[in-house]
């Protein structure tokens, strides 16, 4: 085995090569501080994204029910109703309460589709309690529904669902931030 080389100042050459692995404590603390600041900024906007996703999901469910009612009215050549359900298992329309208690698609006395009640704290309100689709798909009862989160605190956005007389539906987003 060869002896290590000796430099002019008397130290071994391989001893001069200092190899470091890992982070110092200060580098680690700076990285953790930056992560904490970014998380503090990101969490409120992430909550807004979650709220928007939930509102969009419920609004899309309502639109799907309206489209089902419209297509079934054409297919069956009979008036089909989209209306508020009194209870989770009801087979008839009700005029009391609001849409957040759930809704049904009804052809005569046959329930074609049932939507369960919305999660606690969400409201789906409208002055219209029943939307009837005629046999040609048009002639629907015009309606505007507002979907929002009322509790634990009002969210910063709402969804407005419109059903026009031709039976077409649309969803728009507003950022009023109140839910009454």
């Amino acid at each position: 085995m060869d002896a290590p080389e000796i430099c002019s100042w008397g130290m071994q050459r391989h001893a001069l090569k200092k190899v470091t692995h890992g982070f110092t404590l200060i580098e680690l603390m700076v990285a953790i501080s930056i992560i904490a600041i970014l998380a503090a900024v990101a969490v409120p906007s992430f909550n807004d994204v979650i709220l928007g996703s939930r509102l969009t999901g419920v609004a899309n469910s309502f639109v799907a029910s309206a489209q089902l009612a419209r297509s079934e009215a054409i297919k069956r050549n009979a008036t089909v109703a989209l209306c508020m359900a009194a209870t989770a298992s009801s087979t008839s329309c009700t005029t009391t309460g609001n849409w957040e208690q759930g809704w049904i698609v009804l052809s005569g006395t046959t329930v074609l589709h049932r939507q369960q009640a919305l999660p606690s704290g969400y409201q789906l309100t409208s002055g219209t309690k029943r939307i009837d689709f005629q046999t040609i798909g048009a002639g629907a009862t015009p309606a505007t529904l507002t979907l929002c989160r009322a509790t634990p605190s009002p969210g910063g956005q709402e969804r407005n669902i419109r059903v026009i007389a031709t039976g077409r539906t649309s969803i728009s987003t507003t950022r009023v931030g109140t839910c009454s």
Side-chain angles (χ1 to χ4, degrees):
M1 187 181 262
D2 294 332
E5 293 182 34
I6 307 268
C7 293
S8 61
W9 54 85
M11 296 183 72
Q12 295 179 351
R13 181 172 277 189
H14 64 80
L16 293 177
K17 295 179 183 176
K18 184 178 179 184
V19 179
T20 58
H21 297 286
F23 299 103
T24 66
L25 182 59
I26 293 182
E27 291 171 333
L28 189 59
M29 294 300 288
V30 168
I32 289 174
S33 298
I34 291 171
I35 289 171
I37 291 169
L38 290 175
V41 170
V43 166
S45 60
F46 187 66
N47 287 338
D48 201 38
V49 169
I50 291 172
L51 174 61
S53 176
R54 289 181 180 162
L55 291 175
T56 299
V58 172
N60 286 341
S61 292
F62 189 87
V63 168
S65 295
Q67 290 172 342
L68 173 68
R70 182 180 185 205
S71 66
E72 287 293 323
I74 295 168
K75 179 177 127 182
R76 294 170 183 263
N77 199 28
T79 300
V80 175
L82 171 61
C83 58
M84 298 183 313
T87 64
S89 60
S90 79
T91 58
S92 62
C93 299
T94 184
T95 57
T96 59
N98 255 320
W99 290 90
E100 68 260 11
Q101 64 199 31
W103 57 84
I104 55 176
V105 176
L106 194 64
S107 176
T109 58
T110 305
V111 175
L112 304 174
H113 174 72
R114 177 177 286 111
Q115 177 67 39
Q116 299 300 318
L118 300 185
S120 178
Y122 288 84
Q123 290 182 351
L124 182 57
T125 57
S126 176
T128 305
K129 306 295 183 184
R130 176 185 175 115
I131 303 170
D132 289 316
F133 292 89
Q134 303 304 319
T135 59
I136 58 171
T141 309
T144 301
L145 298 94
T146 302
L147 172 65
C148 59
R149 183 185 69 196
T151 58
S153 63
Q157 53 185 309
E158 301 83 27
R159 297 291 183 274
N160 290 324
I161 306 164
R162 289 188 56 213
V163 180
I164 59 176
T166 61
R168 294 194 50 165
T169 57
S170 65
I171 302 171
S172 61
T173 300
T174 60
R175 298 199 178 272
V176 177
T178 61
C179 188
S180 54

